[in-house]
Amino acid sequence: MPPSQDMTTALDPGLLDALQHQVAVFARRAEQTRLGGTGQLRNSMDRAAYLLLNRLDQEGPMGVKALAAGMGIDSSTVTRQVAPLVDTGLVKRTSHPEDGRAVVLQLSQRGLARLEEVRASRRQLMVEVTEGWTPEEREAFCTLLTRFNTALSARQSAHTGHAPAESGGAGGTVPGTAPEGEPSPASS
């Protein structure tokens, strides 16, 4: 539900303008770098592939519909995004363990190795970008960004009628935070 006019005007418009501007700048910079990490791995995996591989790593093998529902996108989008991952051997199609007729998607050993390379590169980027931050500042930023993404996911779900996407994030959540939704200011 959109905020009432009274609620919006009661908040500091200058602060809201600064916040929306910083979110827009973040989205642009995140897309420019794809938060791709450092060194040779910079920009080496697109956002869709990273999120799909990460979800399969965190949640285990699953069907296209379950993967799509968990990410808050439709099945045809997942099918289109998974195809190159299957073609390159990062994801494999296997029979469902309980229903051999059904197909599930599973992270391959090659996919897991590639995901770990990208994660390590992206962790290094986070070290460099937050150099000079205290551990508490990093944790607070992650907590607030997770909260922001969760709110965006819930808002998107309310407008589309789909359940909010949930995720353990890239390697889990910060202690004391709820799982984040996949959509972020920089996601498609």
Side-chain angles (χ1 to χ4, degrees):
M1 170 189 300
S4 69
Q5 185 63 25
D6 291 338
M7 187 169 131
T8 303
T9 56
L11 299 173
D12 179 356
L15 180 59
L16 296 175
D17 286 345
L19 179 59
Q20 67 80 23
H21 176 77
Q22 289 304 317
V23 168
V25 170
F26 170 77
R28 183 184 67 220
R29 294 220 169 102
E31 186 58 31
Q32 286 171 337
T33 66
R34 290 187 177 173
L35 293 180
T38 60
Q40 291 180 326
L41 292 177
R42 186 175 177 278
N43 294 331
S44 62
M45 182 178 286
D46 70 40
R47 180 181 54 247
Y50 178 77
L51 292 172
L52 286 166
L53 294 177
N54 193 64
R55 178 160 291 278
L56 289 172
D57 181 44
Q58 299 293 316
E59 304 291 329
M62 64 181 70
V64 169
K65 285 183 181 180
L67 189 56
M71 295 182 70
I73 56 179
D74 63 75
S75 296
S76 64
T77 300
V78 168
T79 300
R80 187 175 60 252
Q81 292 175 347
V82 163
L85 300 176
V86 171
D87 291 345
T88 58
L90 300 178
V91 171
K92 58 185 177 178
R93 297 180 201 273
T94 61
S95 296
H96 190 284
E98 296 169 8
D99 180 1
R101 298 168 296 167
V103 174
V104 294
L105 301 168
Q106 181 176 357
L107 190 62
S108 69
Q109 286 300 322
R110 182 173 181 223
L112 179 59
R114 182 74 181 100
L115 181 59
E116 286 302 325
E117 288 176 348
V118 171
R119 282 178 178 158
S121 177
R122 289 178 177 195
R123 278 192 297 271
Q124 182 59 38
L125 176 64
M126 293 300 104
V127 166
E128 292 175 14
V129 169
T130 63
E131 184 178 350
W133 293 25
T134 66
E136 294 80 16
E137 288 171 327
R138 283 187 184 106
E139 187 170 333
F141 180 71
C142 191
T143 298
L144 290 170
L145 189 56
T146 298
R147 185 174 169 189
F148 185 81
N149 282 331
T150 300
L152 280 177
S153 180
R155 184 180 188 284
Q156 175 86 17
S157 297
H159 284 77
T160 63
H162 293 94
E166 293 182 18
S167 169
T173 59
V174 171
T177 63
E180 69 192 59
E182 298 294 352
S184 71
S187 67
S188 52

